[in-house]
Each structure stands twice: as C-alpha cells, then as structure tokens.
Amino acid sequence: ETGVTQTPRHLVMGMTNKKSLKCEQHLGHNAMYWYKQSAKKPLELMFVYNFKEQTENNSVPSRFSPECPNSSHLFLHLHTLQPEDSALYLCASRHSTSTDTQYFGPGTRLTVL
Amino acid sequence: QKEVEQDPGPLSVPEGAIVSLNCTYSNSAFQYFMWYRQYSRKGPELLMYTYSSGNKEDGRFTAQVDKSSKYISLFIRDSQPSDSATYLCAMSANEDTDKLIFGTGTRLQVFP
C-alpha cells in the first residue's frame, strides 16, 4: 500500500450535508493534490498545494473547499453538493523540488444522493 | 481534440500473452511520461516513469516513448491474471509535474 492514506474510503451524503475528506501523506513530500475521477473520464486536477500554499484551483465550484494545514495533511470540505459530484476523489503528493512524479492515495468513493 | 488519447478497452487477453497499451498526445511540450496501474476500488499506482524518448524496462514491463510520433506504449510480457486492472497514461511538460495530463485509461483483463 502507498504512503498516502485517505479517509473515509466511502461516503454517502445528501445534497444539504456538509462533510470533509481527509488525506495524509507519510512520504515527506511538500506538494499535495486533489483529483476527481469520474467514469470514462480522465483524472481531473482540482487543487494543488505547494508548501501549504494553494498554487492551483482548476475552476472548481465553491462547494468544494480545500484546506492544507501542513505539508502532510490535506482536506476537502464539501457542502451542498450535486449528484453529478459523485465520483472517486483522489489525493496525491510529491516532492515539488524534484522532477519526481505524483503518488496517489486509495481515494474516497463519494455518492451524493 | 483531447490532449491525450487512450483507447478505453476493455482489452481481453489470455494468460501469457504480450499486451500492448498505447496513448497518443498532441502537445509536443510533454517530456515526462508515466504509466499508472489502477486496480478496482484502489488509487493509481505508479508503474513506469520515463523522460523524453526511448525505452525503459522493469521486469515484465517495458515503456516506450516515440516523441516524433507523439506516441507512448506500455508492453507487458507473460501477462498474468493479476495484471488485470486499468492502465492510465499520464504526461507533463518540462519541470512542471504539478500538472499531469491523464488519458482515460485502458481496462485490461487477463484470463487464465
């Protein structure tokens, strides 16, 4: 298993709920990422954090709110989601000072009712 | 036109076959090429990582990059049922591996 963990692994929520996804990396990396993976679509980059600073917001709706309190932890706060937001949400990390690539967590399978 | 094109499959082969998985791309700035393997209900796992053109071999896996044709391949020799997964290609421009561009993935099934 990888050094990137995600909780919960599965989440079912209603459109009016507020929930949070958590990601933790144990690899000593300093860049962390949120991706959305929907069926038959490429992975979509949502947010990038380098050294706790957000460096990329890929036109993500405001109902998704990321938080990166330190280089090891990344959260995705969810509120008033839509059924089309149902997907696998993947966290990844890497060492931003090298050309090394990204390492992924197992993902959170989100279902919005 | 998508930046990265990948046949979604499924590709079904018998155990022991040689498998060829491919991606084409349109952006000539891409320099770093990756193959990830994703088992059902798991996150993508890095399989091969190559820079620029040429071949790279790791056990039963060979990654090939042809930048002149904007074409990358992953070959799996002596395929096993445990190789059944979705294979994602990904690529990025020089020194900008924050922005990986992924293919849609090819689902591979290796039957005994």
Side-chain angles (χ1 to χ4, degrees):
Chain A
E1 198 61 37
T2 67
V4 182
T5 57
Q6 290 186 243
T7 54
R9 294 293 306 275
H10 301 273
L11 179 62
V12 179
M13 59 188 287
M15 289 193 286
T16 57
N17 291 159
K18 288 184 181 181
K19 296 285 183 184
S20 295
L21 310 184
K22 179 183 175 183
C23 174
E24 184 173 357
Q25 59 92 5
H26 313 276
L27 300 169
H29 292 163
N30 48 33
M32 297 187 78
Y33 310 78
W34 279 117
Y35 285 87
K36 176 183 179 183
Q37 187 177 33
S38 305
K40 297 185 170 59
K41 286 185 167 184
L43 267 72
E44 300 171 49
L45 179 64
M46 299 174 73
F47 301 104
V48 180
Y49 278 82
N50 274 286
F51 294 97
K52 303 187 296 177
E53 298 297 320
Q54 188 181 121
T55 55
E56 184 86 16
N57 176 338
N58 207 20
S59 303
V60 180
S62 59
R63 57 186 184 268
F64 295 92
S65 174
E67 179 191 357
C68 188
N70 55 59
S71 293
S72 299
H73 294 86
L74 185 64
F75 295 89
L76 189 62
H77 304 298
L78 316 170
H79 63 99
T80 58
L81 294 192
Q82 306 298 310
E84 59 264 29
D85 297 322
S86 299
L88 182 68
Y89 288 85
L90 291 160
C91 173
S93 71
R94 78 174 183 101
H95 222 294
S96 65
T97 53
S98 77
T99 52
D100 199 10
T101 190
Q102 299 173 25
Y103 295 85
F104 285 83
T108 295
R109 173 68 62 186
L110 174 67
T111 302
V112 182
L113 301 176
Chain B
Q1 183 192 8
K2 293 179 187 174
E3 274 194 286
V4 178
E5 299 273 0
Q6 186 176 10
D7 188 331
L11 179 61
S12 187
V13 301
E15 183 174 355
I18 296 174
V19 175
S20 172
L21 303 166
N22 311 295
C23 287
T24 58
Y25 62 95
S26 56
N27 188 346
S28 57
F30 289 146
Q31 296 277 359
Y32 297 87
F33 303 92
M34 289 128 259
W35 286 96
Y36 286 85
R37 177 175 60 196
Q38 187 174 20
Y39 289 115
S40 182
R41 299 186 187 86
K42 295 281 182 75
E45 167 196 12
L46 181 66
L47 205 56
M48 299 288 278
Y49 181 26
T50 54
Y51 169 70
S52 197
S53 284
N55 292 359
K56 182 176 181 179
E57 191 173 319
D58 184 0
R60 296 185 295 111
F61 299 90
T62 300
Q64 200 170 75
V65 176
D66 182 349
K67 289 188 68 183
S68 61
S69 303
K70 297 193 182 70
Y71 189 87
I72 68 170
S73 301
L74 177 71
F75 297 96
I76 307 174
R77 289 182 299 282
D78 187 26
S79 56
Q80 303 295 309
S82 58
D83 295 326
S84 298
T86 296
Y87 290 80
L88 307 168
C89 64
M91 46 200 81
S92 66
N94 222 3
E95 296 178 0
D96 191 12
T97 51
D98 266 352
K99 295 181 185 175
L100 291 182
I101 307 300
F102 283 85
T104 50
T106 299
R107 192 154 68 89
L108 171 67
Q109 296 171 329
V110 181
F111 55 90

